[in-house]
Amino acid sequence: MSEQAVRQRSDRQPDWRRGNVINDGVRLATFELGDSSNPTVLLVHGWPDTHHLWTHVAPRLAEKYHVVAYDCRGFGESDRPRRTGAYRLDELADDLFAVAEAVSPDRAVHVVGHDWGSIHTWEAVSRPRAQTRIASFVSVSGPNLDHLGQLLREQIASPTPRHLRNIAAQSLSSSYTGLFQLPLIPNVALRALGNPRAWKQFLRTVEGTPPENVVVADSLRRDMITGLALYRANIRQKLLRPNPRITNVPVLQVVNERDVALRPAIYENTPTYAAKLWRRDTPTGHWLPYTHPDYLTDLVLDFLAVQTNSGAPAPTIDRSRLFSDPKPLAGKLVVITGAGSGIGRETALALAARGCELVLADLDAETADETARECKIAGATAHAHRLDVSDTAGFTEFADKVRTTHGVPDIVVNNAGIGLAGGALAATDEQVDRLLDVNLRGVITGSRAFGRQMVERGVGGHIVNISSAAAFTPSRSLGLYSASKAGVLLFSESLRAELAEHHIGVSVICPGLVDTNIVSSTPIAGLDADDERARRERLDRFYQRRGFTPDRVASEIVSAIEGNKAVVPVTIEAKVGYRIYRFAPWLSRIGARQKVTG
């Protein structure tokens, strides 16, 4: 989104209808939008925010719903109890129920909570009272502290290297909460940070939040200091004596993978305690209502459509439903070209095992269907399409269809490719054109079409392009093929740099000798039909004896996605060849003169 668009949106303040709700002598300032006859959506902020956090979210929600935000006790225009004990989660949950009953006495409310607003909504939905008062809950950047305390207990009791890494990482991210327990010192620090300009600059520095999007109350400095009571009244008590309970309230948990304060690993055990759970992981930061308000609003609207039976489940919400423990990459939408066999099929199966939804494309529609069937057997949702990646217009139309039907993909694997061996001078123009159209132009088209969608959506993604060890292993017998794959390698490296600011990763995979059916279908320029067939059969047998199977490449692809790796040589010859070409290219040139096809 352009800076001008951000600035224009921040200038449009909601025309709130103001009110008050009293709970146990504490006055809570409320702010309403929309038709009160519609279902009510209750917006609950965290530290150090007020109802202003929802400035960019509430107006769109109010087009369909009765929207109510309120300043939690100790913040904004609400009362500020002086006792630390007044900020315990049970008191805050009582406030939530009091507001819900006042603004929607006859119907249960839908709650969207952020940060501490999410934390104390977890307390509310864990009570039996929630069954009649809370219809659904969208949790953003805020864990259930009882769940977290129980998770830490279990991991400390049975530590593994992964558990220890997660504990160490979260402890580092949460170190500020220890500071907040101290007397006086945090108060002094927050007096400086509580200047609105300083706070906006802080959010920009830690998460890239556009300052124009941050709307704060005049009481920001006072809110920061009063809000320290949230940490002092709850953190130690809940982590040391957790009381996790099961909730039957439908929950959408939005997990921000770049959250500076809360690591995704802390949500591991949520499915144990949430009977109706959806989860959406995105490469976004903590202050999602400021950084990506439209994306968050779309998620909330799609989730509410399911909960109110006011529309068909949106694809993003439909694939976010969790029925058991979350899997790596669960809920991601993946597009794979050349998915009918070999590396494409094995990659599809590997990602199906991780809970992804798959859009599988291949020139051979039957093989794409077969891959889709295998993925469905593995428990994944899969859709098969016929696609010729060399048809630029057709590929672009396919990308538009994916977006309309399934949504913007989170991961794209441009895998489709063909081979061409033999001398460059012997190849026909038609062979050269077909090779470059499929291997290079197809990758470029897929990367551009889906990359634009990812950039426009604004919450990141990942593109994987399949190159080859031939990209850095020159050979007199593979010059044209090497050229096409070298183009993929350098294009991918450049695209990675271009898309980094949008948090879109680009990985290029460079397999060596892998036993796939590409060898048996590779034309060899300059040979008659009989010699070409005999040479191809010898090569095919050699690749089979080599025994490096496509599933091992698929494993490297998944690892590249999870680790956002840039260049991944696969097989020992690829790894050696990559280093020789980088550090001793003259050896590569000597090897290139050998009369070997393959």
Side-chain angles (χ1 to χ4, degrees), residues 12 23 125 180 197 214 233 235 268 301-302 315 333 485 560:
R12 295 199 303 268
N23 177 48
V125 299
F180 283 2
R197 180 176 296 181
V214 180
I235 296 290
E268 277 188 15
L301 287 171
D302 288 344
L333 177 64
K485 292 300 185 179

Side-chain angles (χ1 to χ4, degrees), residues 263-301:
R263 304 283 178 155
I266 69 174
Y267 303 103
E268 277 188 15
N269 64 346
T270 305
T272 304
Y273 305 106
K276 302 172 184 177
L277 179 65
W278 288 254
R279 173 168 161 163
R280 181 64 179 166
D281 292 30
T282 55
T284 46
H286 184 80
W287 269 274
L288 199 60
Y290 286 148
T291 58
H292 298 88
D294 291 333
Y295 173 74
L296 176 58
T297 305
D298 287 339
L299 278 180
V300 173
L301 287 171

Side-chain angles (χ1 to χ4, degrees), residues 192-398:
L193 192 58
N195 177 285
R197 180 176 296 181
W199 180 243
K200 292 179 182 182
Q201 185 57 47
F202 174 78
L203 294 185
R204 182 175 187 173
T205 300
V206 299
E207 288 197 337
T209 309
E212 300 87 352
N213 253 26
V214 180
V215 184
V216 297
D218 295 335
S219 56
L220 176 63
R221 180 179 285 113
R222 191 181 179 195
D223 295 339
M224 283 184 167
I225 294 172
T226 303
L228 291 174
L230 293 172
Y231 297 87
R232 295 166 179 170
N234 297 294
I235 296 290
R236 285 176 297 177
Q237 293 83 340
K238 285 292 186 181
L239 296 187
L240 293 176
R241 294 182 294 276
N243 178 31
R245 290 147 289 167
I246 293 175
T247 179
N248 290 305
V249 173
V251 177
L252 169 62
Q253 189 171 58
V254 181
V255 177
N256 298 302
E257 296 168 344
R258 293 189 294 108
D259 194 318
V260 296
L262 302 166
R263 304 283 178 155
I266 69 174
Y267 303 103
E268 277 188 15
N269 64 346
T270 305
T272 304
Y273 305 106
K276 302 172 184 177
L277 179 65
W278 288 254
R279 173 168 161 163
R280 181 64 179 166
D281 292 30
T282 55
T284 46
H286 184 80
W287 269 274
L288 199 60
Y290 286 148
T291 58
H292 298 88
D294 291 333
Y295 173 74
L296 176 58
T297 305
D298 287 339
L299 278 180
V300 173
L301 287 171
D302 288 344
F303 186 62
L304 293 179
V306 174
Q307 304 309 319
T308 59
N309 297 314
S310 59
T316 301
I317 298 300
D318 200 33
R319 60 175 164 267
S320 298
R321 182 70 188 270
L322 292 179
F323 296 96
S324 58
D325 291 341
K327 302 174 183 177
L329 303 179
K332 303 289 187 183
L333 177 64
V334 182
V335 175
I336 303 176
T337 67
S341 61
I343 294 172
R345 174 172 291 183
E346 295 300 330
T347 301
L349 291 171
L351 292 172
R354 283 159 176 79
C356 296
E357 179 177 353
L358 301 153
V359 178
L360 307 171
D362 199 282
L363 183 61
D364 186 337
E366 291 185 4
T367 60
D369 280 332
E370 185 177 341
T371 301
R373 285 195 296 272
E374 292 189 24
C375 290
K376 291 174 183 176
I377 292 172
T381 301
H383 319 272
H385 298 265
R386 184 188 181 279
L387 175 67
D388 181 353
V389 299
S390 68
D391 177 2
T392 301
F395 203 157
T396 303
E397 183 180 344
F398 166 74

Side-chain angles (χ1 to χ4, degrees), residues 411-453:
I411 300 166
V412 173
V413 182
N414 290 303
N415 166 72
I418 60 174
L420 177 61
L425 305 185
T428 65
D429 289 343
E430 290 77 11
Q431 287 176 322
V432 174
D433 289 343
R434 179 65 179 167
L435 178 76
L436 295 179
D437 285 347
V438 172
N439 285 10
L440 182 55
R441 187 57 189 264
V443 169
I444 291 174
T445 302
S447 298
R448 294 176 73 214
F450 289 115
R452 286 169 179 153
Q453 293 182 13

